[in-house]
Amino acid sequence: MTEVVTENSEVTVLLVDDNPQNLKVLYETLKDKGYRLLIANEGEKALDLAHRHHPEVILLDIMMPEMDGYEVCERLKADPETSDCAVVFLSALDDLQAKVRGFSLGGADYISKPFQSQEVIARVKTHGRVIRLERELQARNRELQGDQARILNSISEGIYGLDEHGIIEFANPASAMIMGCPVEDLIGKSFFELHFSTAAQCQDSLPVMATCRQGVAEGQRDIRMLRADGSGFPAEYRSTPKLDDSELHGAVVVFRDITIELKNEQALEDARALVQEQRDQLAHTSRLTTMGEMAAGFAHEINQPLTAITNYARVSKRMMAKEQPDLVLLQETLDKIEAQSHRASEIIRRIRRFMKKPATGKEILSVPALLEDTRQFAEVDMRNNDGGIDVHFEDDLPDVLADPIQVQQVALNLIRNALEATRSAESSAPVQVSARRCGEQCVRIQVLDHGVGVHEDAVEKLFHPFYTTKDDGMGIGLATCRSLIQAQGGDIGYERPEQGGGACFYFTLPIAGVDGQPCAVD
């Protein structure tokens, strides 16, 4: 059975199946869609029709007698007249190997039986349009071949046509402008001797040499090339082999002067470095500001163990003044002096660690340890605000990759704000600090207070620089927090608690060792 069913010159579709019922279903599905339909019930007829009519799309059954769909596809792709047809396999086979084999032979798509009409229509429409556009593009390319010289002459990049020895056979006006000499002075010159001072010493390693001799495409950026007058300039080039029936006939070289581009890139890099330096300085300033606010509390914190040491020392002196001192009691008193000195030392160590500028680079951090360390920093604020802090985190919480000082600064800022907000609402409930895994790439840390909450009009401005809801605030705390968290590859945000009042601030950090895009808010 071989026939032309309908005539429409826009897109031709060849239907190939040994089952008449399947052919009928395909025909009924596509007959009113504006296609020119061809029908074949076996492989040889399909090949003949494809060779004579060059269909854009071939719906090809795999399981056919004598010649199966795989062989038909292989022969179609081997014939230059039909190699560009889009072959869509039709089969009840639904295993991966069948599909892989079909694609390896040049198949464009795969539809499983029993097929759905809408799927067939959609895929035929897509592949028909693609092949039609590709053929129109090929026709257009053939037309453009006659205009090749005009196009090359209008390109701003320098273009050379070299023979297999590197002799310049063609040069466009842009190459002459870059070189600072007429095109005629370039033709017949050796590309290597003209552009590279080391041409005589190390020919094999020269740029474009492998393209001319071996047909290997090349490309480099920021190499030094010479002009006709011997002056040098930084350049970017790409070279591709000139082939005629697989025979190498030299190379085509496209190059350009990137002097201005490199200067702009360096200026941009300098600007980025300056912005980062200013960002780090602002973060450090914010941390020192926080430290200043906490200074009075820390002074009281340190004064307690120092006062205890003084008192224990006096007791020890009185005991030692006795004729028969109680050595056991004296030992206990000295142990208390040692313990209080360690306490004072630990307070000072925490202050120094918080105040130092962070070193560049990130570390693998344990979130529970980081939060516990931060909670200890906030002990003074807990006492000053008559509040408390509850820390909760999931079991087996993964480590994160971040700068510990900067993350601790963010967490402490949020906790101190939460303690102050809770106290302003005259609540004694502790601030809730929690951490949990968020998706495959992030850990989410949140701080929930029991204050009066954030007014609706203020939500969108919370992280804007110099915006504050505090009477004595500067408005740089949350803005700095956002900058610090984004620098870690995470994000920060605010949400209204589902139950009760208060406010919930949270931020995310990327899990250590997980590749992918920086994590965003949940």
Side-chain angles (χ1 to χ4, degrees):
M1 181 177 91
T2 304
E3 60 175 307
V4 178
V5 178
T6 182
E7 291 294 331
N8 189 310
S9 60
E10 184 175 357
V11 173
T12 300
V13 181
L14 173 58
L15 313 177
V16 186
D17 199 312
D18 63 324
N19 187 321
Q21 183 61 32
N22 286 343
L23 286 175
K24 181 179 179 182
V25 172
L26 289 172
Y27 164 66
E28 292 294 336
T29 299
L30 299 172
K31 69 175 182 177
D32 297 326
K33 305 304 177 185
Y35 300 116
R36 178 176 181 241
L37 300 179
L38 308 175
I39 292 178
N41 63 351
E42 50 92 17
E44 287 292 349
K45 294 178 181 179
L47 291 172
D48 179 64
L49 280 175
H51 187 79
R52 288 191 287 118
H53 297 282
H54 305 104
E56 280 76 13
V57 183
I58 301 176
L59 299 182
L60 178 61
D61 183 32
I62 293 180
M63 304 301 292
M64 295 189 297
E66 298 183 9
M67 184 187 303
D68 63 15
Y70 294 132
E71 183 177 351
V72 173
C73 179
E74 190 171 14
R75 290 176 61 176
L76 286 168
K77 294 302 176 181
D79 185 350
E81 295 290 327
T82 58
S83 61
D84 67 339
C85 299
V87 177
V88 179
F89 285 108
L90 303 172
S91 177
L93 298 176
D94 197 24
D95 64 285
L96 178 61
Q97 293 302 320
K99 295 181 179 180
V100 170
R101 183 182 178 189
F103 288 127
S104 67
L105 292 173
D109 209 340
Y110 195 102
I111 300 178
S112 299
K113 294 181 181 179
F115 39 75
Q116 302 295 322
S117 297
Q118 294 301 319
E119 180 182 9
V120 172
I121 292 170
R123 296 191 186 229
V124 168
K125 179 179 180 181
T126 298
H127 290 295
R129 181 183 300 165
V130 170
I131 298 302
R132 173 63 69 181
L133 291 174
E134 287 180 352
R135 290 179 177 178
E136 290 176 355
L137 179 60
Q138 291 172 3
R140 179 59 178 158
N141 286 339
R142 288 190 291 270
E143 295 176 5
L144 291 175
Q145 287 179 357
D147 301 326
Q148 182 180 27
R150 177 180 58 80
I151 295 172
L152 291 176
N153 290 343
S154 66
I155 293 176
S156 60
E157 296 176 313
I159 301 177
Y160 288 142
L162 310 181
D163 67 10
E164 59 271 24
H165 303 293
I167 302 301
I168 299 174
E169 298 179 323
F170 167 82
N172 71 337
S175 63
M177 183 177 297
I178 294 173
M179 289 299 294
C181 67
V183 170
E184 294 76 17
D185 292 352
L186 299 174
I187 304 300
K189 297 287 184 64
S190 168
F191 169 81
F192 307 108
E193 295 177 0
L194 182 65
H195 283 292
F196 304 103
S197 59
T198 58
Q201 290 80 24
C202 51
Q203 286 193 357
D204 292 341
S205 61
L206 288 174
V208 190
M209 185 65 75
T211 307
C212 290
R213 292 183 176 179
Q214 304 168 23
V216 179
E218 296 181 29
Q220 291 189 55
R221 189 172 188 272
D222 198 11
I223 67 166
R224 183 175 176 79
M225 296 178 66
L226 299 179
R227 293 189 174 88
D229 61 3
S231 62
F233 65 96
E236 178 181 27
Y237 82 89
R238 301 182 304 279
S239 63
T240 55
K242 288 196 303 182
L243 300 174
D244 186 5
D245 293 333
S246 300
E247 185 177 351
L248 183 62
H249 290 278
V252 175
V253 181
V254 180
F255 69 102
R256 62 192 182 96
D257 185 343
I258 59 172
T259 301
I260 297 177
E261 186 175 313
L262 290 179
K263 289 182 179 178
N264 291 338
E265 289 178 359
Q266 184 59 49
L268 179 60
E269 187 61 31
D270 292 343
R272 287 174 177 168
L274 179 60
V275 169
Q276 185 60 46
E277 181 181 351
Q278 292 175 343
R279 179 184 295 158
D280 293 342
Q281 187 63 40
L282 178 61
H284 186 57
T285 301
S286 175
R287 190 160 52 255
L288 293 179
T289 300
T290 301
M291 199 68 241
E293 295 172 357
M294 299 168 66
F298 276 120
H300 177 72
E301 186 82 358
I302 296 175
N303 190 55
Q304 284 185 334
L306 291 179
T307 301
I309 290 172
T310 301
N311 293 333
Y312 288 138
R314 290 172 179 170
V315 170
S316 299
K317 288 174 67 177
R318 285 197 298 269
M319 286 191 292
M320 292 177 63
K322 295 180 179 180
E323 293 183 1
Q324 294 182 343
D326 187 341
L327 297 181
V328 174
L329 181 58
L330 180 60
Q331 180 66 44
E332 292 177 355
T333 305
L334 292 175
D335 289 342
K336 291 179 180 180
I337 291 176
E338 182 181 13
Q340 291 297 327
S341 66
H342 284 316
R343 178 185 172 191
S345 176
E346 177 62 20
I347 295 170
I348 295 172
R349 184 187 66 82
R350 294 208 312 262
I351 295 172
R352 294 182 63 183
R353 189 171 71 246
F354 183 76
M355 289 183 65
K356 73 176 182 179
K357 262 198 171 183
T360 56
K362 301 174 182 178
E363 303 176 12
I364 297 177
L365 306 174
S366 166
V367 174
L370 186 72
L371 293 181
E372 176 57 28
D373 207 15
T374 306
R375 189 194 66 78
Q376 293 179 18
F377 273 122
E379 286 180 354
V380 174
D381 290 280
M382 281 192 285
R383 283 192 292 273
N384 290 343
N385 291 283
D386 298 324
I389 301 173
D390 286 345
V391 179
H392 305 280
F393 45 83
E394 290 182 345
D395 295 334
D396 300 324
L397 195 65
D399 293 341
V400 298
L401 182 64
D403 184 312
I405 299 299
Q406 293 187 354
V407 174
Q408 193 175 72
Q409 179 178 348
V410 172
L412 183 60
N413 191 302
L414 298 182
I415 289 173
R416 295 180 73 240
N417 288 347
L419 288 168
E420 293 174 2
T422 300
R423 183 186 182 185
S424 67
E426 299 182 353
S427 172
S428 59
V431 170
Q432 303 294 322
V433 180
S434 61
R436 63 177 175 84
R437 185 163 188 151
C438 178
E440 295 297 322
Q441 297 180 334
C442 306
V443 167
R444 168 175 160 144
I445 299 169
Q446 75 173 31
V447 178
L448 174 66
D449 67 45
H450 302 279
V452 296
V454 178
H455 194 276
E456 193 67 35
D457 295 339
V459 172
E460 294 183 0
K461 306 175 186 177
L462 282 174
F463 296 93
H464 290 186
F466 309 113
Y467 177 80
T468 180
T469 57
K470 300 179 182 178
D471 294 337
D472 57 348
M474 296 176 62
I476 64 172
L478 290 179
T480 302
C481 288
R482 181 175 64 176
S483 177
L484 294 177
I485 291 300
Q486 289 177 346
Q488 314 305 314
D491 210 340
I492 188 169
Y494 160 82
E495 65 184 17
R496 200 174 300 279
E498 295 181 0
Q499 296 180 349
C504 177
F505 286 87
Y506 59 96
F507 60 92
T508 60
L509 296 172
I511 295 174
V514 176
D515 296 329
Q517 296 295 323
C519 56
V521 294
D522 187 13

